[in-house]
Each structure stands twice: as structure tokens, then as C-alpha cells.
Amino acid sequence: MKANVLAAALLFLLGTGGMAGGGLAQLRSNSLPSRPGSGESLPSFRLPADRPSVSRKMLRESFEQTQRDTSQLYALAAELKMEMEEATEDVLSVTVMKKAEEIEKLAEKIKNRMKNL
């Protein structure tokens, strides 16, 4: 269980690492590739210009909070890694389990927010 949580957190971090380089922005700005055999491309993911500015502001704030939470998740995963390196096969501290649970909750929070972006 502990190894699964750690592995999931690390995979999540590796997956979101591409977003720091603009991967998510690229996804939004580029249209999807066209279907084989059709000359038309699918619509892009850009928000319409006539959308109320309040919604854009909320979207921006949500995205910025996701970036902060992702940074916090990375820091927690690094702390967990350091604590696991100090642990022995006979002794595993309670803080390791608490940290893993905190990582799991934060990753779930990030995932749910990203679904709504």
C-alpha cells in the first residue's frame, strides 16, 4: 500500500512535469489533429472570447492554485523519499504513513481540480 502511494505520487509528478514546460498551454492552444481521411481538424480547446471575464478570472485562479498545490506535492514527495531513505526494514516511522496520506489527499485534490479546468 505504501509503495503504491509513493509510486502513484511519483508517477503523478513525472506526468505533471511536462506541464511546467507549457504542455497544458500547448494542449489548449493547438487544435486536435485531423481525423484520418478528413480535411478538417477538430475544434481547439480555447475558451471563447465572449466568455465573461469573471469565469476567466476563476479559471486563472484555479490554475494558479493547482500550480501551487503541485509544488507542495513535489515537496512532500521529496520529504517522503528522504524519510524512506533514513528508515530501515525493521522500523518505519508514523510520520512516513501520515506524509503518504497527505500526499494522497493532495494528489486527489489536484486531480479533481484539473478535471474542472
Side-chain angles (χ1 to χ4, degrees):
M1 172 68 182
K2 295 172 191 167
N4 289 343
V5 171
L6 181 59
L10 292 176
L11 285 174
F12 178 80
L13 291 174
L14 289 173
T16 57
M19 285 187 211
L24 187 59
Q26 266 185 335
L27 178 65
R28 286 194 175 155
S29 64
N30 294 340
S31 62
L32 293 174
S34 60
R35 287 181 244 146
S38 83
E40 298 178 25
S41 65
L42 297 175
S44 74
F45 289 104
R46 277 185 197 254
L47 294 172
D50 60 341
R51 191 167 180 173
S53 62
V54 174
S55 295
R56 290 188 73 64
K57 182 179 179 183
M58 288 175 30
L59 182 65
R60 185 178 323 117
E61 288 173 359
S62 178
F63 180 73
E64 289 170 355
Q65 182 63 45
T66 301
Q67 287 178 321
R68 288 189 295 271
D69 287 346
T70 303
S71 295
Q72 182 182 0
L73 179 65
Y74 181 80
L76 285 171
E79 290 172 14
L80 179 63
K81 182 179 183 300
M82 287 179 7
E83 288 182 23
M84 286 301 297
E85 288 172 353
E86 293 172 0
T88 65
E89 60 190 39
D90 298 323
V91 179
L92 189 62
S93 72
V94 176
T95 59
V96 170
M97 185 63 178
K98 287 182 180 180
K99 197 161 302 260
E101 289 174 355
E102 190 176 346
I103 288 170
E104 188 176 18
K105 288 178 186 177
L106 187 56
E108 185 70 23
K109 181 179 170 184
I110 292 169
K111 182 179 82 169
N112 289 334
R113 190 178 299 117
M114 287 179 150
K115 285 181 181 179
N116 294 326
L117 278 179

